[in-house]
Amino acid sequence: MTPNSPFTANNAADDLAAYIDHTLLAPQASREEILKLCKEAAEHHFKSVCVNPVWVETAKKALLGSGVLTCTVVGFPLGTHNTDVKVFEARGATMDGADEIDMVINIASARALDKEALVSDISAVAEVVHGEDSLLKVIIETSLLSDAEKVLACQAAVEAGADYVKTSTGFNGGGANASDVSLMRQTVGPDIGVKASGGVRTREKALEMIAAGATRIGTSSGIAIVTGGAGTSSY
């Protein structure tokens, strides 16, 4: 199963764990909580853990031999860092062992319909990330954009060489919904991943996102999703 392959809702029901980025991005998260996250991800065979950059080395070591990837965030959660800062963050994260980088776009550029600025920002990070054989996911923060702006942001991500587009940070209101995921999938086509994140807390919601075109689910409720419960986390 390749990172960007279009999954289907049918096989998703059998292997939801393979879609899940088990996530803990709370600023107050402790080392013990990160290690617990990694243990859970290994036990349930989740696709990755997603942690803040300061925890990448810890997660990478904890996950060694588990088959679970280490993911982190760049330009998070506002996307307002200068491009050279995002590049510096991405380089440091990959050197620490990150297999995947989730970067936040410059949302103001999307609101201004400035595709050139978006491509420039994303492609600079993509060059660093791909140079280390890691994957790049681009967070467009759907709750802050119109449909036209979402389409432009997704087009820019594809043009810049991103491997995925992602709905949300979970820190700026809103979250994933099926209509946004469907729009993103229609825009990027079949060969780019779509990550639904924010508010996905149940098996039913996860399957709805996958049916709409998601190939990855970012959530802090991964265990509830795969065991048929309902998560209580805000992400």
Side-chain angles (χ1 to χ4, degrees), residues 6-172:
F7 303 167
T8 69
N10 290 333
N11 64 34
D14 298 327
D15 194 14
L16 268 175
Y19 292 75
I20 291 174
D21 289 350
H22 197 38
T23 302
L24 179 54
L25 294 169
Q28 72 273 24
S30 66
R31 183 175 187 276
E32 290 72 24
E33 289 172 315
I34 297 299
L35 292 175
K36 180 175 181 285
L37 185 84
C38 293
K39 182 180 179 182
E40 292 169 346
E43 289 175 349
H44 291 277
H45 306 289
F46 292 140
K47 185 66 176 182
S48 83
V49 298
C50 188
V51 297
N52 280 308
V54 69
W55 297 117
V56 168
E57 283 189 280
T58 299
K60 188 72 172 182
K61 290 176 183 176
L63 293 168
L64 188 65
S66 69
V68 179
L69 301 175
T70 301
C71 174
T72 193
V73 290
V74 160
F76 195 86
L78 301 178
T80 50
H81 301 58
N82 288 330
T83 298
D84 57 353
V85 175
K86 293 180 184 179
V87 167
F88 182 83
E89 282 188 298
R91 181 177 290 114
T94 55
M95 289 177 65
D96 285 344
D99 302 294
E100 301 185 339
I101 301 292
D102 290 15
M103 72 164 284
V104 187
I105 64 166
N106 185 318
I107 297 160
S109 294
R111 295 279 294 262
L113 298 177
D114 190 344
K115 185 179 178 184
E116 182 178 352
L118 289 171
V119 171
S120 177
D121 188 48
I122 299 165
S123 62
V125 177
E127 181 177 358
V128 169
V129 172
H130 293 154
E132 296 297 330
D133 294 324
S134 298
L135 295 180
L136 178 64
K137 308 192 202 91
V138 173
I139 307 171
I140 69 170
E141 204 67 282
T142 50
S143 65
L144 301 181
L145 302 179
S146 68
D147 282 356
E149 293 159 357
K150 293 166 196 173
V151 168
L152 182 87
C154 288
Q155 291 172 336
V158 173
E159 188 173 326
D163 301 290
Y164 285 78
V165 290
K166 175 179 171 181
T167 59
S168 320
T169 63
F171 282 74
N172 289 310

